[in-house]
Amino acid sequence: MGAALALSIPIFDPLEEFRKVAYKAIDEWTEKFRDFFERDKPPTISEISDRFTQTRHLFLEACFEGLVTRLAEESLKQRHAKCPKCQRPLPRKRVDKKEISTLHGSFTIERPYFYCTDCKHGFHPMDEILELVREAHQLDVQSAISPLAADLPYETAARHFSSLTGIDVSSHFSHETLNAIGEKAKIKTVIPDRAEIEKRINESSIDGKPPVMVVAVDGAHMPTRPAGKRKEKRGRGQYKEAKGFRLYLLGPDDRIVHVASWHQIKDALEFESDLAMIASRIPHNKVKMCLLADGASWIWNLFSKHFPEGTQILDYFHCSEHVHETALCQYGATLQGAEWAESVLARLGLDMATSVIAGLKRMKPADKEAEKAISSLITYLTNNKNRFGYRLHKGKGYAIGSGGIESSNKFICHTRIKRSGAWWLKENCNAMLRIRCAIYNGTFQRVL
């Protein structure tokens, strides 16, 4: 008898099938450059770059779609599934098409659809497996445009994004994407965790000595408007204060090492909750705490409650402004006034607030306006008499000015929110502030 013939059954190899798709795609793509080889003169670098930009999506789209369909082939052909609510076995009802837009091109896939008549629940299992979002533009596109839209007006961000990537997006899409991300961004995610804060503290330590950590609080006024109804004129806009804090370390060579910023349009009670949260993440025994603010008593009350060990310092520039305003009212724009103001600030720098207050009480006001200014300065200095000593604090390495929090106000709040003609719904303004804080804090990827 003759030997039995062995039948060879080909084994399906998804990787090999994908390789075939990629080879075919590159063959088709290279044809886009044929005319370059038929010229008498070689193309310029700019011409080659432009052709790559115009055609690369053809190659990437084919490869991307081929990879998805090979990796998820069984799921794409799925005919039965269990209802995620009641676990009832269900037959496939239909196949739905979905347009998918990614950073590497766009294509269409067909996903099985299942429907449970008991639960009245329909679902596409492929959406969960591939983590598809409802919109055509997928998460990679959304995460890529978000930093642009957080820095630039929505329309400008969409235009630049389309120019850079070749992916057409609308200003509405960039707007809705930022609002959706901002809704998910909460303070617990936006603020670095305790381990990250400790790492920054250790890196800022000099010879094992605890570095100075500055906690600064200040407000920035944001342009807000009420919600407008369709075909109705919007109400009058108004400025609302975004209360903010910034924590930073004074590292080697007087460098500022940023730790965390947080700004929101909130009342004092809500702000306290946020400040308490960041206070709980700081290893207080590893830093020398420096607390900076203007003369608002409610801020100092919060500092005393949540950072009781901290050294409280009244912002020097805020204090200087008060002193010079009083000098102007009393002496006018004269050399005598300037000298008086500088002598007052020098004594406050040496922690001689009691002496300064006594001198103010002995002054003879030049007029009613000067009398009012002197009285106001006496109250201001009396309320903050334990928060001066600027020269002494500088000698210990503490910060005495609010430049750090003012910089945070400008970068996070003013740069994006206070654009010409911009008025924000409070909710959208807060969402944008949370996103910008996350970018500045280095935690943006956590909120996506």
Side-chain angles (χ1 to χ4, degrees), residues 119-167:
C119 301
K120 309 298 181 187
H121 175 65
F123 60 100
H124 297 92
M126 276 304 304
D127 288 8
E128 183 177 350
I129 292 172
L130 295 179
E131 294 187 359
L132 298 177
V133 296
R134 179 176 55 84
E135 301 85 0
H137 296 303
Q138 296 303 300
L139 289 174
D140 61 339
V141 177
Q142 295 181 22
S143 62
I145 196 175
S146 296
L148 267 179
D151 272 342
L152 300 169
Y154 296 118
E155 186 175 349
T156 306
R159 185 172 67 251
H160 286 331
F161 184 80
S162 298
S163 173
L164 290 168
T165 65
I167 302 170

Side-chain angles (χ1 to χ4, degrees), residues 288-307:
K288 295 191 295 182
M289 200 70 68
C290 170
L291 310 174
L292 267 174
D294 58 23
S297 59
W298 68 271
I299 298 177
W300 298 115
N301 292 336
L302 294 185
F303 277 161
S304 297
K305 182 177 179 180
H306 299 290
F307 302 94

Side-chain angles (χ1 to χ4, degrees), residues 220-233:
H221 287 87
M222 303 286 92
T224 67
R225 64 170 178 84
K229 295 182 181 179
R230 184 174 292 183
K231 297 182 180 180
E232 286 187 13
K233 190 175 181 180

Side-chain angles (χ1 to χ4, degrees), residues 15 27 59 113 169 366 439 441:
L15 178 59
D27 285 342
F59 170 65
Y113 175 77
V169 296
I439 292 172
N441 294 341

Side-chain angles (χ1 to χ4, degrees), residues 203-241:
E203 290 173 347
S204 301
S205 176
I206 304 174
D207 298 328
K209 296 178 181 178
V212 172
M213 173 173 279
V214 180
V215 183
V217 171
D218 196 17
H221 287 87
M222 303 286 92
T224 67
R225 64 170 178 84
K229 295 182 181 179
R230 184 174 292 183
K231 297 182 180 180
E232 286 187 13
K233 190 175 181 180
R234 290 175 180 168
R236 184 180 179 85
Q238 60 178 313
Y239 279 83
K240 293 184 178 179
E241 185 182 47

Side-chain angles (χ1 to χ4, degrees), residues 48-66:
I48 296 173
S49 178
D50 288 344
R51 186 67 61 86
F52 264 74
T53 301
Q54 295 163 6
T55 63
R56 65 189 175 194
H57 70 279
L58 299 173
F59 170 65
L60 292 174
E61 280 174 2
C63 290
F64 202 112
E65 181 181 7

Side-chain angles (χ1 to χ4, degrees), residues 375-391:
S375 176
S376 175
L377 184 58
I378 290 172
T379 301
Y380 178 76
L381 297 181
T382 302
N383 290 342
N384 296 284
K385 62 183 179 181
N386 297 320
R387 302 183 180 113
F388 298 105
Y390 298 119
R391 291 186 185 180

